[in-house]
Amino acid sequence: MTDFFDQKMVVGNAEWCAFPSLNIPAIKARVDSGAKTSSLHAVNIQTFQRSGQLWAAFDVHPIQDSRKVVISCEAEVIDQRVIKSSSGDRERRFVIRVPLQLGDRTWEVEVTLTDRDSMGYRMLLGREAMNGRLLVDPQISCIFGDRLQESLADLYQAPEIKEGGLKIGVLASNPELYSNRRIIEAGEARGHEMQFLNVRHCYMKLDATTPEIHYRGGRILNDLDAVIPRIRPSMTFYACTLLRQFESLGIFCLNDSVSIAQSRDKLRSLQLLLEHGLAIPTTGFANSPLDTTDLINMVGGAPLIVKLLEGTQGKGVVLAETKKAAESVINAFKSLNANILVQEFIKEASGKDLRCFVIDGKVVASIQRVAAPGEFRANIHQGGRAELVKVTAEEKRIAIKAAKAMNLKVAGVDLIRSNNGPLLLEVNSSPGLQGIETATNEDIATRMITAIEKRLASKLS
């Protein structure tokens, strides 16, 4: 019995390990005997043939909560498996077999490739890789030593700012938000100087000869090459004022002030889409509660959707299943002097919609958003989930035309599938990246940066 335990290595609940064949010298793994398979964080997965065998090329970001370091890897694909996550979602993944180094031991393990950016660790070590080799002590971690940020910096040299790189500001409110972090990391990875600019900390000088934009502390921002606006709805008015000032200084804005302002006006944006020959669910708008009955009839009666004009991320959206319920909701909102839309309910959509991410007139990624059980809103922020979907050529055409109608260079276009074909729901000028990057493994943030590079090619040396 003693020999049995002597042959096994004791590990903690988390350990630093390495994949020599993938040129990954250090990656922190969660050790989980409850998980059958091991998994490795991988994005931009592409397959190809080599000597008659299927191989995968993929990128790994080995440092948690950072995409500054990118390791490009290749490995033979030995299998494809459907993996069920702890949340119940199923995903088909490629499987590779590579040497794993842990402590002073090295052995081959099978790992699945998936985007683990939203997980606690960039690697999961499951029991199949541990059987006959490891004993887990769940009370401790990093038995073989922890890695400080300084040692990781030595192993993974972060990219330096290139001579001739651009100065790009991300105009937003929360630097820790996934989308904002990803954009900054993507820009730095391509050698640009990225600056997070809190909307509230910016102020401006209006002057005929020396107009300026200042940042808290007095720093002048006139030397920026480009601005990426990531504006929350409550800051639309002030942020658009700032963008107009940037534009007047000749600073390129990935989405301009006029386009953002009209996209945030739900009623105006729907009118614009209709003017460009794009179909939407039948929609009604009124100011007086005395017109409630006719308003309900106008959109085909109950069930119907009631939307606050200022709502976002699924907030301020109510499903009224009966005429009486619709009257109560509409009158309640009207009593608060709230501006609302009423819209026909597309029952056949079954709580699903499509999000097409458009950059520079091209659909670069698409997902289907599925509402949580008992919920009709498919928004990720309302508990919905994102899954891969193949959109039709017609749906792509509509998404591109919608972004163009709003004059947005970057847009999240939401559609719904009805018995009468695709219908447009909304065009978002600051679409989130987390759901679509995780579901598709597409590097959307880098595509946004390259769109700026393309526009400002003359400034790049």
Side-chain angles (χ1 to χ4, degrees):
M1 192 69 170
T2 302
D3 290 342
F4 174 77
F5 284 105
D6 287 344
Q7 293 172 4
K8 295 190 175 184
M9 184 167 60
V10 178
V11 297
N13 56 47
E15 296 289 349
W16 286 93
C17 53
F19 290 102
S21 67
L22 300 178
N23 296 317
I24 298 175
I27 187 167
K28 197 171 187 179
R30 179 190 175 196
V31 181
D32 186 0
S33 58
K36 181 180 179 182
T37 20
S38 302
S39 65
L40 175 67
H41 171 76
V43 295
N44 302 327
I45 303 171
Q46 303 289 332
T47 58
F48 63 95
Q49 293 288 327
R50 176 177 289 169
S51 301
Q53 301 296 321
L54 182 66
W55 280 62
F58 53 94
D59 293 334
V60 175
H61 304 290
I63 301 175
Q64 191 62 33
D65 295 326
S66 173
R67 292 207 179 193
K68 292 183 181 179
V69 176
V70 183
I71 306 297
S72 296
C73 308
E74 291 182 353
E76 183 179 349
V77 176
I78 64 166
D79 197 6
Q80 296 183 50
R81 297 176 193 161
V82 176
I83 305 296
K84 184 177 180 180
S85 70
S86 56
S87 62
D89 294 332
R90 295 178 179 274
E91 177 190 14
R92 180 172 289 278
R93 300 181 189 172
F94 294 111
V95 184
I96 63 173
R97 183 184 291 117
V98 287
L100 169 74
Q101 183 180 325
L102 180 56
D104 59 0
R105 299 188 188 181
T106 302
W107 70 98
E108 284 201 336
V109 298
E110 292 183 2
V111 295
T112 65
L113 303 177
T114 187
D115 188 339
R116 294 183 56 83
D117 197 71
S118 60
M119 307 293 184
Y121 295 86
R122 291 288 164 89
M123 182 189 164
L124 178 74
L125 190 64
R127 62 177 180 272
E128 282 186 341
M130 296 188 278
N131 285 344
R133 298 179 183 275
L134 306 180
L135 291 173
V136 183
D137 185 340
Q139 292 185 314
I140 55 178
S141 65
C142 300
I143 289 176
F144 305 101
D146 205 350
R147 294 231 181 225
L148 301 176
Q149 288 299 320
E150 292 80 4
S151 67
L152 289 174
D154 290 337
L155 286 172
Y156 299 112
Q157 290 295 327
E160 298 179 357
I161 303 300
K162 297 175 185 175
E163 188 71 25
L166 300 171
K167 289 185 178 181
I168 303 175
V170 178
L171 186 67
S173 299
N174 181 3
E176 298 305 316
L177 197 67
Y178 174 95
S179 300
N180 299 334
R181 285 193 294 109
R182 282 286 297 112
I183 292 168
I184 289 173
E185 289 168 0
E188 289 176 343
R190 294 187 64 84
H192 304 301
E193 181 184 332
M194 303 297 294
Q195 301 178 23
F196 180 83
L197 306 175
N198 191 311
V199 175
R200 296 179 185 275
H201 298 172
C202 297
Y203 51 102
M204 69 195 80
K205 172 189 174 185
L206 302 178
D207 183 82
T209 56
T210 57
E212 293 173 343
I213 293 187
H214 288 228
Y215 198 66
R216 179 167 287 180
R219 177 160 59 97
I220 299 176
L221 302 177
N222 291 33
D223 63 343
L224 289 175
D225 295 302
V227 171
I228 301 175
R230 301 289 306 174
I231 300 167
R232 62 174 56 177
S234 62
M235 296 301 296
T236 299
F237 174 79
Y238 187 63
C240 283
T241 302
L242 289 170
L243 288 175
R244 284 194 291 273
Q245 186 80 345
F246 281 121
E247 291 160 12
S248 71
L249 294 168
I251 296 169
F252 173 65
C253 297
L254 192 53
N255 277 336
D256 63 43
S257 57
V258 173
S259 302
I260 292 172
Q262 65 188 13
S263 74
R264 288 288 166 82
D265 183 338
K266 282 189 171 66
L267 190 61
R268 176 60 183 142
S269 63
L270 292 176
Q271 290 171 327
L272 271 173
L273 295 173
L274 289 171
E275 286 172 15
H276 283 79
L278 294 161
I280 65 170
T282 302
T283 302
F285 176 72
N287 182 258
S288 169
L290 297 176
D291 302 313
T292 297
T293 299
D294 194 35
L295 195 64
I296 292 171
N297 293 335
M298 186 187 296
V299 299
L304 56 79
I305 303 293
V306 183
K307 292 183 178 181
L308 282 174
L309 285 185
E310 293 79 18
T312 183
Q313 295 178 346
K315 297 174 184 176
V317 181
V318 179
L319 170 63
E321 300 194 49
T322 65
K323 181 181 178 182
K324 185 175 181 180
E327 290 172 343
S328 298
V329 172
I330 292 170
N331 291 333
F333 279 140
K334 285 299 180 185
S335 68
L336 298 173
N337 294 318
N339 289 315
I340 62 166
L341 296 174
V342 295
Q343 205 166 62
E344 69 171 315
F345 176 59
I346 310 300
K347 184 178 180 181
E348 61 267 26
S350 303
K352 299 177 182 178
D353 67 20
L354 304 177
R355 161 63 62 89
C356 294
F357 210 107
V358 180
I359 300 178
D360 253 354
K362 181 180 179 182
V363 175
V364 298
S366 302
I367 54 173
Q368 180 170 258
R369 301 185 301 183
V370 183
E375 177 62 72
F376 72 96
R377 295 168 295 182
N379 303 68
I380 305 297
H381 290 86
Q382 299 300 325
R385 72 176 191 275
E387 59 186 30
L388 283 172
V389 67
K390 185 174 179 62
V391 294
T392 66
E394 174 67 4
E395 288 163 346
K396 284 185 178 181
R397 185 193 68 80
I398 290 171
I400 292 168
K401 190 173 180 180
K404 187 176 180 180
M406 306 298 293
N407 198 29
L408 290 169
K409 301 174 191 72
V410 173
V413 181
D414 297 338
L415 305 98
I416 198 166
R417 289 170 168 168
S418 77
N419 291 336
N420 296 318
L423 299 175
L424 275 162
L425 295 178
E426 187 175 6
V427 181
N428 193 321
S429 58
S430 294
L433 304 188
Q434 186 166 8
I436 199 159
E437 283 198 337
T438 301
T440 65
N441 282 325
E442 291 286 344
D443 189 348
I444 306 297
T446 295
R447 288 178 178 265
M448 293 172 68
I449 299 298
T450 56
I452 294 175
E453 293 172 351
K454 180 180 176 182
R455 178 62 179 263
L456 302 180
S458 61
K459 289 191 173 187
L460 292 168
S461 59

